Amino acid sequence: MKSLFTTLFFIGITLSTVSIVSQNKNQELVNKIDSYLKASETNGFSGVVLVAKKGEILLSKGYGWADRKNKTPNLPETIFNIGSVTKQFTASAILKLVEQRKMKTSDKLSLYFPQIPLDKTDITIHQLLTHTSGISSKTGGFRYHEASKKQFLKEFFEATLHAEPGTSYQYANANYILLTVILEMVSEQTYDTFLQKNLFVPAQMKSTGYKSVNFDKERLAHGYYYNRDDEQWMDWGTTQQHLPDNNNHWYSIGKGDIHSTIEDLYKWHNALKNNLVLTSKIRESQETPFVAENDNNTSYYGYGWAISKSDRDTKIVAHNGSNGLYFADFVRFVEDDIVIIYMTNKFLGPESENVAREIGKMMFDANYKAPPIPRNIYELIHEFMNINSSKNAKKLPDFLRKELKSEFNDPAILNRLGYSRLKKEEQADWALELFKLNVKLFPKDGNLWDSLGEAYLKYNQKEKAIECYTKAVEFGSESSRKTLNRLVKDDQ
């Protein structure tokens, strides 16, 4: 008995030690992630992040403001527009109807719309779900403009297909709007009602919905954007204020603009994982890599999810989304049993899209340290212009390199800011210097030479304008030729 007791004692000590070591490693990881997000917050980052591993939430936290004016902080329960992360819910709703044997993914549109044009009769539900219907990404209007269901259907059916159905992938929001039309037709319920009853309630998601969400409006995160003309951050308000307040929401519904929290999305992850809303067979079909999203075949589209492989050759099931202000990313490392959910209401720049992936790198590489999200580049340039005269324009690239920790390589940025200033400056100043700097940085871009020529014309420097338009034509800007010919003719 003494020997058995001793053995059990040492086993207990060993297991306890392993547990403590694991807890310490998790805490180190959480501290590293939190430090990255706090450093980003210093640069203007605003959002929420949830990280879970093997069923344990390691981090669930908000950063920055949900409502800056009223000093309402972002919290785990703050509600965000999740953009095209919405598509997994629309796809799940369709698959719920498949599970209920009310429809099939092989069904053709002609089954639901007998009078549609011949080129669209054989488009299938599967092709809508996988963006292989042949419909163009340009089909449909601006998400917050009013459009009736009838109007959207007319536009969809009259649209010219960019490819024969089933032959190629092109991500198009119209596919998921049409799926929503079919969902309401088959279920005889509204989109909101069907999702609440069949997805959100079973998953115990109480803060998720499209338009009919019952919550305190103070929990809604406002969207913020940097206004280049006014040179300041602006409060766009909330999506609920911009969505049509009637049923003419058929440019938005089904493809985006569902609202949720990181906590609710984690409940959704668990509901999928435990087959609470869909059977395992149906869920597996949803996460099947049906069609390549790119020429490198590094990512595939399933039903409302994108499927790829990690550096360790493990499966990643993910989807992101944005309406231009909010950005959301939902990344599930399926075989590693890790989920990262991230949402922001203040888009600082391209790095704002990489937060979940940066956290993923830290999860799997103890030596990796993510660089903070830098400040918005337009805000940085305006700051430089406010403390420097235009004579110091040549120092701007070094300033940006230092602040961004990377090379400045986007010619469109200075071009946009040049035109913003051109509206305001009657005398040659920063506008002209920004255009001059841009052609120095990108000397073979004909469009930039055209912009510089336009600035010289405004400031009555015709000879220099002719030189610039000549360069523009030389580097392929055919639209500059007409202006050049007119200037040369006037000179003769």
Side-chain angles (χ1 to χ4, degrees):
M1 289 294 294
K2 183 178 181 182
S3 175
L4 177 60
F5 174 80
T6 303
T7 301
L8 291 174
F9 175 79
F10 280 107
I11 289 174
I13 290 293
T14 301
L15 290 175
S16 176
T17 303
V18 169
S19 176
I20 292 171
V21 170
S22 177
Q23 289 175 12
N24 289 340
K25 283 186 177 180
N26 283 342
Q27 191 56 52
E28 288 175 12
L29 175 62
V30 169
N31 291 342
K32 186 192 290 189
I33 295 171
D34 189 46
S35 295
Y36 156 63
L37 295 170
K38 282 180 178 177
S40 299
E41 185 180 28
T42 301
N43 290 338
F45 169 66
S46 178
V48 288
V49 172
L50 184 145
V51 181
K53 181 178 181 181
K54 299 188 185 303
E56 178 188 356
I57 296 176
L58 303 182
L59 175 71
S60 180
K61 190 174 178 180
Y63 302 83
W65 301 107
D67 181 350
R68 179 175 292 276
K69 180 181 178 182
N70 293 309
K71 302 300 180 188
T72 305
N74 278 320
L75 300 169
E77 57 267 27
T78 301
I79 297 167
F80 286 73
N81 181 330
I82 66 173
S84 286
V85 175
T86 294
K87 288 182 172 65
Q88 65 190 262
F89 293 114
T90 303
S92 296
I94 291 292
L95 292 175
K96 192 67 181 177
L97 289 173
V98 171
E99 185 181 292
Q100 294 170 351
R101 300 191 176 185
K102 294 180 179 180
M103 64 187 300
K104 300 175 182 177
T105 56
S106 59
D107 285 349
K108 297 179 180 180
L109 290 190
S110 55
L111 179 64
Y112 303 98
F113 310 100
Q115 305 301 319
I116 62 171
L118 188 63
D119 65 334
K120 299 178 182 69
T121 56
D122 290 337
I123 293 174
T124 65
I125 299 298
H126 169 83
Q127 290 165 356
L128 294 175
L129 286 165
T130 56
H131 298 291
T132 56
S133 68
I135 202 72
S136 168
S137 58
K138 297 178 181 178
T139 302
F142 178 64
R143 56 170 55 87
Y144 302 130
H145 288 171
E146 286 195 20
S148 66
K149 185 186 295 186
K150 182 178 179 180
Q151 179 182 339
F152 167 75
L153 287 174
K154 183 175 184 294
E155 292 178 22
F156 187 99
F157 293 141
E158 291 181 355
T160 301
L161 296 179
H162 78 89
E164 184 180 343
T167 62
S168 66
Y169 168 89
Q170 184 176 105
Y171 189 91
N173 286 320
N175 288 313
Y176 274 71
I177 298 175
L178 188 62
L179 285 168
T180 305
V181 175
I182 296 169
L183 168 69
E184 292 196 345
M185 184 185 303
V186 173
S187 68
E188 299 181 338
Q189 298 176 44
T190 66
Y191 180 72
D192 251 330
T193 301
F194 187 87
L195 265 61
Q196 285 291 343
K197 180 180 178 181
N198 292 277
L199 305 183
F200 303 149
V201 170
Q204 300 182 31
M205 300 165 68
K206 298 180 180 179
S207 300
T208 302
Y210 174 56
K211 287 168 76 174
S212 59
V213 184
N214 298 317
F215 50 74
D216 185 345
K217 290 185 178 179
E218 290 184 0
R219 292 175 58 200
L220 280 169
H222 288 228
Y224 293 90
Y225 69 98
Y226 190 76
N227 187 303
R228 297 193 299 268
D229 292 336
D230 293 341
E231 303 183 13
Q232 61 180 326
W233 286 97
M234 307 289 286
D235 185 343
W236 180 75
T238 68
T239 310
Q240 294 283 328
Q241 294 170 328
H242 291 267
L243 284 166
D245 55 11
N246 52 34
N247 290 329
N248 293 333
H249 44 221
W250 288 91
Y251 285 151
S252 163
I253 193 168
K255 56 91 173 178
D257 294 315
I258 274 184
H259 290 67
S260 193
T261 68
I262 51 173
E263 295 176 330
D264 260 18
L265 291 183
Y266 183 61
K267 290 178 182 178
W268 174 246
H269 162 75
N270 284 325
L272 290 174
K273 179 180 171 183
N274 297 315
N275 306 314
L276 297 179
V277 289
L278 295 170
T279 65
S280 59
K281 183 178 179 181
I282 290 288
R283 180 175 58 79
E284 285 169 12
S285 72
Q286 186 174 24
E287 298 174 5
T288 298
F290 288 114
V291 56
E293 292 189 289
N294 53 44
D295 293 336
N296 298 325
N297 295 336
T298 56
S299 181
Y300 293 78
Y301 209 81
Y303 292 158
W305 286 106
I307 297 95
S308 59
K309 291 283 188 180
S310 70
D311 294 339
R312 301 166 313 287
D313 201 36
T314 58
K315 187 176 184 179
I316 301 174
V317 177
H319 210 296
N320 61 24
S322 174
N323 74 341
L325 295 102
Y326 302 88
F327 179 83
D329 206 356
F330 192 162
V331 184
R332 298 162 60 212
F333 296 88
V334 178
E335 294 161 21
D336 302 293
D337 200 7
I338 287 174
V339 60
I340 302 168
I341 304 168
Y342 154 64
M343 295 185 280
T344 179
N345 57 327
K346 187 180 179 185
F347 196 81
L348 297 179
E351 293 83 2
S352 292
E353 296 183 348
N354 299 330
V355 170
R357 304 296 173 145
E358 290 292 281
I359 292 173
K361 291 179 184 177
M362 288 188 276
M363 296 286 289
F364 296 106
D365 183 354
N367 296 319
Y368 183 73
K369 184 179 180 181
I373 303 171
R375 290 171 59 194
N376 178 272
I377 191 168
Y378 295 104
E379 182 180 24
L380 283 171
I381 293 172
H382 281 138
E383 178 181 287
F384 181 88
M385 292 162 65
N386 288 335
I387 60 176
N388 286 276
S389 74
S390 58
K391 294 178 182 179
N392 290 328
K394 62 183 179 182
K395 297 180 180 178
L396 178 57
D398 287 336
F399 169 78
L400 292 177
R401 192 178 299 113
K402 179 181 177 183
E403 292 291 331
L404 300 174
K405 304 293 189 295
S406 63
E407 292 295 323
F408 176 65
N409 57 10
D410 187 348
I413 290 173
L414 294 184
N415 209 46
R416 292 173 188 138
L417 289 180
Y419 277 112
S420 291
R421 281 294 176 123
L422 202 61
K423 300 173 189 174
K424 304 175 184 179
E425 297 175 351
E426 293 304 318
Q427 302 298 321
D429 194 11
W430 266 108
L432 183 60
E433 293 305 319
L434 289 174
F435 288 130
K436 286 165 66 177
L437 175 61
N438 220 15
V439 298
K440 183 178 179 181
L441 294 173
F442 310 99
K444 295 185 179 181
D445 190 323
N447 180 57
L448 304 186
W449 284 104
D450 182 278
S451 300
L452 179 56
E454 189 175 337
Y456 275 129
L457 274 183
K458 175 172 180 176
Y459 300 123
N460 299 314
Q461 299 182 46
K462 189 175 178 182
E463 288 185 8
K464 289 185 176 179
I466 290 174
E467 291 176 11
C468 290
Y469 282 113
T470 301
K471 284 279 191 182
V473 173
E474 178 185 341
F475 291 120
S477 178
E478 282 301 315
S479 60
S480 307
R481 191 179 295 278
K482 185 177 179 180
T483 305
L484 176 61
N485 290 339
R486 176 176 57 80
L487 292 174
V488 172
K489 184 179 180 180
D490 291 345
D491 242 16
Q492 292 174 348

